Amino acid sequence: MNPCMHNIQLSSELLPKHIAIIMDGNGRWAKTQGKPRVFGHKNGVSAVRKTISTSAKLGIKAITLFAFSSENWRRPEDEVGVLMELFITVLSTEVKKLHKNNLRLRVIGDKSRFNPRLQTKIAQAEALTENNTGMVINIAANYGGKWDIVEATKSISAKVARGEIDASDVNEELITSHLTMADLPEVDLLIRTSGECRISNFMLWQMAYAEMYFTPTYWPEFNEDSLIEAITWFVNRERRFGCTDEQVEELIESD
Ligand code: IPE
Ligand code: IPE
Ligand code: MG
């Protein structure tokens, strides 16, 4: 039976539990505005805000946003510098609001390469929101899917070397439990903006079964409607129901 045809309210059970987003296209969007690339990064912040508030209102359990990949250090020094300053500014201005809304913020990735000022801001933001029970927001910064698997492998090998576990105990569950975000549901929906159709070394293991949604929209233009469109697509793929954007929107109002 098609629940939409019978006007039955969409159940929030059908929504994705963990959404991962590759926020791409800031530079190209800036170019369309006749502005330098960093203008795009600055404008991408409002898309982040909209995505977080819409996801939280929908009752999504976790979102993971790819903000800076382990490969992004190769960009011009100036651009990397602006991105780092932007992280610091955004962490300073937004974290209190996230905390007030009971949201939990975590930064995943190799934080050791960030400057000490940024590392301190990150630690403070994580500590402040650590006991919140609402949606988990993971910011993937200096993150790489291969790095994540390498780190897990190193810690498993160390345990084997210390005799805490046997090499024959290594299985999928064990590897999963040593990756970042082991405590969260697996990613069920990946969104990439800007029309590119690749993973760019984002989460690999955790996306084994994710539905992948690619949209030509550049990240700074991604808004509440864009997210609802992606989620509607997901619900329709997963369950083969012909649901509408409006039915997903209703879930916002009913919360
Ligand atoms: C994504 O936008 C943001 C980061 C990678 C930090 P880009 O900066 O990759 O923008 P395009 O892909 O060059 O348009
Ligand atoms: C992926 O985007 C990383 C982030 C969005 C942070 P890129 O723009 O860096 O990816 P490639 O280089 O086009 O694959
Ligand atoms: Mg890009």
Side-chain angles (χ1 to χ4, degrees):
M1 181 169 68
N2 180 336
C4 305
M5 287 171 68
H6 297 266
N7 233 355
I8 292 168
Q9 210 201 347
L10 178 66
S11 153
S12 53
E13 281 301 296
L14 300 176
L15 299 184
K17 294 188 175 43
H18 186 171
I19 304 177
I21 308 184
I22 303 178
M23 310 184 287
D24 198 12
N26 292 351
R28 279 165 284 166
W29 177 80
K31 204 170 168 192
T32 67
Q33 309 295 304
K35 294 277 174 29
R37 294 178 54 79
V38 295
F39 181 74
H41 298 318
K42 288 179 184 152
N43 278 272
V45 177
S46 64
V48 172
R49 257 188 231 115
K50 288 175 201 162
T51 301
I52 290 174
S53 71
T54 308
S55 307
K57 281 190 272 177
L58 282 167
I60 306 294
K61 301 273 175 286
I63 61 168
T64 302
L65 304 170
F66 206 6
F68 193 85
S69 75
S70 37
E71 291 72 30
N72 287 151
W73 296 107
R74 296 180 197 142
R75 295 190 176 200
E77 210 177 302
D78 285 2
E79 185 176 340
V80 172
V82 168
L83 282 168
M84 294 301 146
E85 280 307 314
L86 200 57
F87 291 150
I88 295 179
T89 314
V90 171
L91 280 173
S92 312
T93 57
E94 303 289 313
V95 168
K96 282 198 196 103
K97 213 166 63 194
L98 299 180
H99 183 49
K100 222 177 82 207
N101 287 305
N102 193 28
L103 304 176
R104 187 165 167 197
L105 184 80
R106 297 200 299 207
V107 176
I108 56 159
D110 182 1
K111 293 172 242 185
S112 66
R113 198 165 160 191
F114 293 133
N115 78 41
R117 198 156 64 97
L118 181 50
Q119 289 191 38
T120 307
K121 285 271 175 213
I122 292 172
Q124 285 168 344
E126 290 181 331
L128 179 69
T129 62
E130 166 173 63
N131 296 317
N132 292 346
T133 53
M135 184 174 78
V136 178
I137 304 157
N138 299 296
I139 305 293
N142 194 18
Y143 178 86
K146 291 183 181 177
W147 166 84
D148 202 352
I149 295 171
V150 168
E151 290 303 303
T153 309
K154 277 190 202 159
S155 68
I156 293 169
S157 317
K159 286 181 187 173
V160 172
R162 291 195 298 265
E164 291 168 22
I165 52 174
D166 197 76
S168 64
D169 296 332
V170 178
N171 57 21
E172 291 183 10
E173 284 70 38
L174 188 83
I175 295 177
T176 302
S177 70
H178 284 78
L179 292 166
T180 57
M181 298 174 286
D183 56 327
L184 299 176
E186 285 218 331
V187 174
D188 37 16
L189 171 62
L190 168 78
I191 299 172
R192 184 172 188 150
T193 57
S194 90
E196 305 300 340
C197 303
R198 55 179 176 275
I199 298 183
S200 298
N201 196 20
F202 197 21
M203 287 178 280
L204 299 171
W205 184 279
Q206 298 92 332
M207 295 204 310
Y209 274 95
E211 295 283 353
M212 300 196 180
Y213 180 86
F214 300 101
T215 167
T217 305
Y218 290 141
W219 179 251
E221 287 184 331
F222 194 86
N223 59 22
E224 176 159 314
D225 289 345
S226 326
L227 183 65
I228 287 173
E229 212 174 292
I231 292 174
T232 306
W233 173 87
F234 171 86
V235 172
N236 292 337
R237 288 220 44 91
E238 283 289 283
R239 309 289 166 174
R240 314 258 176 253
F241 289 163
C243 287
T244 62
D245 288 12
E246 287 72 26
Q247 282 176 301
V248 174
E249 264 165 48
E250 268 170 34
L251 290 176
I252 291 184
E253 271 124 40
S254 67
D255 276 343

